[in-house]
């Protein structure tokens, strides 16, 4: 009874349009039905529009546009990452240190597979597992032997020039742990902090012209050209790297298109923008988030699931997680499941591979190869390769991610909808709480006080 009275009192005094006619004692039943139907239709229309606004806020809050006001842009040069891919002289030298001059030369193949592990280890498993294994094999601590073989920066990279100005290579090429082993990177966010030295200014604009990086390599290597937050992986697209050997001169010109983000993009959730900023990191293997770093984490997680260990080259992994010989044999056995990234629907069709739920980086760049030139070097006594990577021209376009539906837009939309259809505001909903809770209590308290005063008055008489 009290609840009914509270509802009637609320409807009589409510700021909601048409509500008072429903409980008006002078109104006929036809008028009450009419206003009741109007209120229901208004609330239904308001609910539909609010639902549409919420869906648009969740799924269509971002828009992409192409900007072409390029005159004042500063374009950051791509990250250049050098990963040694082969060094038979160093392998022979380490093999002689470990097993003497008259060692079994099959062990050099084992050492090569360990040092430059790419997911498969045929010689290692064949020679070092089972009953017929070679006595001189090692069965754990593979990362130690890999580091023995891999060349240092000083032994690998020489004669560096940025825009034809020389600089000390290994002051700026920083050590980077990758799933390909130790690499050396310039202009990369992912380089190891404890080895970090000075940072070279590698921005290009209309005053400096397109940037150009030249260097000499004294080892066979894979050179990656990536965004500053990306990392080399086992599945990096072939368009993003090239392989050089001794007595080779290689020139690559690239074009670069950046993605600029509106300042308000940070206010949105990862789900809304469908990307992650580098500092929104959820990974163990690298310090900053990127799509390629996420695939490395995905591969490590799958290795742990299948073999209870991860590759000895997996970056930033504790020693107890790294594979011994049994684990290496397991990785080799599951090579097809671990080496290829496939779509989720491909797995349902029985295809082998990794299914990785990885979002792109919000700052990833589009790097396109425009021109490649590869020539032999003659008259050089030392096995050296000469590398040049340069921008073909300064970019004239870039993408921009804009916020078109922010939280304030959502509040305005919901407020306008409820105001248009039912005449409601925030205080209208406060009134509901007031009339359902505070008002009945106050009425009850006032009635008790009135009765108490009346009884005291009668007692005095």
């Amino acid at each position: 009874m009290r609840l009914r009275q509270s509802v009637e009192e609320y409807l009589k005094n409510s700021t909601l349009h048409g509500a008072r006619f429903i409980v008006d004692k002078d109104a006929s039943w036809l008028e009450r039905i009419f206003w009741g139907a109007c209120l229901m239709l208004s609330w239904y229309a308001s609910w539909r529009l609010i639902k549409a606004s919420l869906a648009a806020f969740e799924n269509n809050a971002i828009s992409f546009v192409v900007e072409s006001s390029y005159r004042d842009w500063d374009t950051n040069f791509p990250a250049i990452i050098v990963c040694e891919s082969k060094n038979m002289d160093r392998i022979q030298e380490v093999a002689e240190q470990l097993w003497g001059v008259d060692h079994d030369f099959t062990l050099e193949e084992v050492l090569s597979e360990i040092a430059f592990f790419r997911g498969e280890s045929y010689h290692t498993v064949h020679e070092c597992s089972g009953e017929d294994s070679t006595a001189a094999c090692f069965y754990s601590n593979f990362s130690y032997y890999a580091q023995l073989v891999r060349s240092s920066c000083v032994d690998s990279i020489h004669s560096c020039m940025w825009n034809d100005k020389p600089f000390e290579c290994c002051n700026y090429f920083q050590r980077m742990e990758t799933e390909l082993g130790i690499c050396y990177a310039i202009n990369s966010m992912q380089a190891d902090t404890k080895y970090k030295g000075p940072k070279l200014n590698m921005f290009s604009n209309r005053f400096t012209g397109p940037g150009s990086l030249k260097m000499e390599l004294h080892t066979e290597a894979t050179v990656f050209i990536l965004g500053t937050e990306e990392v080399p992986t086992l599945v990096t697209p072939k368009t993003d790297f090239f392989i050089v050997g001794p007595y080779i001169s290689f020139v690559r010109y690239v074009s670069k298109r950046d993605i600029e983000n509106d300042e308000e993009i940070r206010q949105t959730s990862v789900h809304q923008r469908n990307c992650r900023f580098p500092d929104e990191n959820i990974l163990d293997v690298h310090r900053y988030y990127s799509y390629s770093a996420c695939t490395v984490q995905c591969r490590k997680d799958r290795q742990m699931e299948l073999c209870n260990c991860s590759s000895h080259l997996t970056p930033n992994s504790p020693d107890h997680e790294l594979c011994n010989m049994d684990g290496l044999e397991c990785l080799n056995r599951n090579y097809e499941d671990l080496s290829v990234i496939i779509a989720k629907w491909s797995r349902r069709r029985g295809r082998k591979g990794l299914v990785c739920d990885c979002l792109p980086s919000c700052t990833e760049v589009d790097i396109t190869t425009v021109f490649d030139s590869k020539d032999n070097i003659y008259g050089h006594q030392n096995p050296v390769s000469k590398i040049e990577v340069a921008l073909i021209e300064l970019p004239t376009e870039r993408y921009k991610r804009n916020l078109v539906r922010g939280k304030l837009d959502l509040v305005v939309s919901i407020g306008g909808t409820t105001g248009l259809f039912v005449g409601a505001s925030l205080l209208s909903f406060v009134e509901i709480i007031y009339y359902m809770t505070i008002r009945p209590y106050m009425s009850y308290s006032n009635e008790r006080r009135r009765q108490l005063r009346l009884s005291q008055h009668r007692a005095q008489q």
Side-chain angles (χ1 to χ4, degrees):
M1 187 69 179
R2 185 177 297 167
L3 177 62
R4 181 180 176 182
Q5 291 176 349
S6 298
V7 172
E8 287 184 356
E9 187 176 3
Y10 167 70
L11 292 176
K12 283 181 182 178
N13 299 286
S14 174
T15 56
L16 298 178
H17 294 171
R20 64 187 180 88
F21 295 108
I22 298 176
V23 293
D24 190 353
K25 294 181 180 179
D26 296 330
S28 65
W29 63 270
L30 191 60
E31 288 178 298
R32 293 183 182 183
I33 292 174
F34 170 76
W35 283 109
C38 287
L39 273 176
M40 289 178 63
L41 288 172
S42 296
W43 276 109
Y44 176 73
S46 180
W47 172 75
R48 289 296 299 269
L49 280 179
I50 289 173
K51 185 179 177 182
S53 297
L54 287 170
F57 176 72
E58 284 295 321
N59 303 314
N60 298 302
I62 307 297
S63 74
F64 274 94
V65 296
V66 177
E67 285 191 330
S68 56
S69 54
Y70 57 87
R71 286 181 59 82
D72 297 322
W73 291 350
D74 288 323
T75 301
N76 197 10
F77 201 72
I80 306 299
I81 305 167
V82 178
C83 298
E84 189 176 34
S85 57
K86 190 177 181 182
N87 191 337
M88 292 309 298
D89 291 339
R90 181 63 183 160
I91 288 172
Q92 184 178 354
E93 181 182 335
V94 172
E96 289 178 0
Q97 292 174 7
L98 294 173
W99 302 299
V101 177
D102 297 326
H103 60 268
D104 184 349
F105 289 100
T106 310
L107 291 173
E108 292 187 9
E109 294 294 341
V110 172
L111 195 57
S112 178
E113 284 185 345
I114 295 297
F116 303 105
F117 184 69
R118 296 296 182 268
E120 245 181 334
S121 48
Y122 171 79
H123 291 285
T124 305
V125 172
H126 181 73
E127 296 293 330
C128 299
S129 65
E131 297 179 357
D132 300 328
S133 62
T134 305
C137 282
F138 39 83
Y139 297 92
S140 61
N141 203 17
F142 297 132
S143 58
Y144 166 76
Y145 295 101
Q147 289 188 31
L148 279 181
V149 172
R150 302 295 282 261
S151 301
S152 66
C153 176
V154 174
D155 294 332
S156 303
I157 310 172
H158 294 265
S159 304
C160 297
M161 301 180 74
W162 168 250
N163 286 343
D164 294 324
K165 294 180 181 178
F167 64 91
E168 189 60 42
C169 298
C170 294
N171 285 348
Y172 297 95
F173 273 90
Q174 298 151 7
R175 187 178 186 271
M176 177 193 286
E177 289 187 29
T178 74
E179 66 175 354
L180 306 179
I182 300 301
C183 300
Y184 299 96
I186 190 169
N187 207 35
S188 172
M189 298 169 60
Q190 302 284 11
D192 294 350
T193 52
K194 57 185 176 182
Y195 298 98
K196 213 161 193 179
K199 188 173 177 62
L200 187 66
N201 182 0
M202 300 186 75
F203 284 92
S204 302
N205 52 44
R206 61 193 176 103
F207 301 106
T208 64
S212 170
L213 178 68
K214 297 176 182 177
M215 57 186 163
E216 291 183 0
L217 300 183
H218 289 237
T219 183
E220 293 184 51
T222 304
V223 180
F224 294 86
I225 306 172
L226 305 171
T228 55
E229 75 276 11
E230 300 292 343
V231 296
T233 72
L234 293 172
V235 293
T236 299
K238 292 183 178 180
T239 54
D240 292 343
F241 67 86
F242 56 88
I243 301 172
V244 290
Y247 307 109
I248 294 294
S249 173
F250 197 101
V251 177
R252 171 166 288 186
Y253 285 95
V254 299
S255 65
K256 183 171 181 277
R257 185 177 290 184
D258 293 315
I259 293 182
E260 183 77 8
N261 292 284
D262 187 78
E263 292 180 1
E264 296 180 339
I265 291 293
R266 288 275 188 174
Q267 300 175 10
T268 60
S269 66
V270 173
H271 169 73
Q272 284 176 286
R273 58 180 125 96
N274 202 34
C275 67
R276 283 185 181 276
F277 284 97
D279 57 356
E280 296 176 329
N281 194 22
I282 55 172
L283 312 175
D284 300 326
V285 291
H286 287 286
R287 294 170 53 236
Y288 294 99
Y289 181 87
S290 66
Y291 175 80
S292 54
C294 180
T295 62
V296 176
Q297 182 73 54
C298 175
R299 185 174 291 101
K300 177 187 175 180
D301 294 342
R302 184 62 174 160
Q303 288 174 345
M304 296 294 294
E305 181 183 337
L306 291 174
C307 303
N308 202 31
C309 65
S310 65
S311 160
H312 57 279
L313 296 183
T314 303
N316 301 317
S317 295
D319 291 342
H320 68 269
E321 290 183 354
L322 304 181
C323 290
N324 57 17
M325 184 57 70
D326 292 334
L328 203 64
E329 188 177 354
C330 176
L331 296 183
N332 189 69
R333 191 168 55 249
N334 293 282
Y335 174 73
E336 290 185 19
D337 266 333
L338 296 168
S339 60
V340 181
I341 295 178
I342 61 173
K344 196 175 292 185
W345 56 266
S346 297
R347 174 58 66 88
R348 291 194 291 268
R349 294 185 178 181
R351 186 182 172 190
K352 291 186 176 182
L354 278 174
V355 176
C356 297
D357 186 18
C358 290
L359 292 173
S361 167
C362 293
T363 57
E364 69 177 12
V365 297
D366 178 20
I367 300 173
T368 306
T369 300
V370 178
F371 172 77
D372 275 346
S373 172
K374 187 175 182 181
D375 297 307
N376 294 323
I377 298 176
Y378 299 100
H380 231 288
Q381 294 183 351
N382 297 322
V384 64
S385 58
K386 295 185 177 182
I387 309 298
E388 181 181 359
V389 179
L391 293 175
I392 188 72
E393 62 182 2
L394 292 175
T396 57
E397 289 182 345
R398 70 181 179 190
Y399 301 112
K400 186 169 185 182
R401 187 182 279 111
N402 288 319
L403 181 66
V404 293
R405 292 182 180 88
K407 293 178 181 177
L408 180 60
D409 300 302
L410 180 65
V411 171
V412 170
S413 177
I414 292 175
T417 299
T418 54
L420 174 65
F421 283 95
V422 294
S425 66
L426 184 62
L427 291 179
S428 301
F429 297 100
V430 174
E431 285 177 352
I432 297 176
I433 300 172
Y434 172 74
Y435 278 102
M436 296 299 116
T437 57
I438 301 174
R439 180 79 174 185
Y441 172 76
M442 296 298 296
S443 299
Y444 176 74
S445 299
N446 291 336
E447 181 65 22
R448 287 293 302 271
R449 285 197 293 269
R450 191 184 67 80
Q451 290 179 359
L452 183 61
R453 285 197 299 268
L454 184 61
S455 61
Q456 289 176 349
H457 179 70
R458 287 176 179 173
Q460 289 174 357
Q461 289 181 342

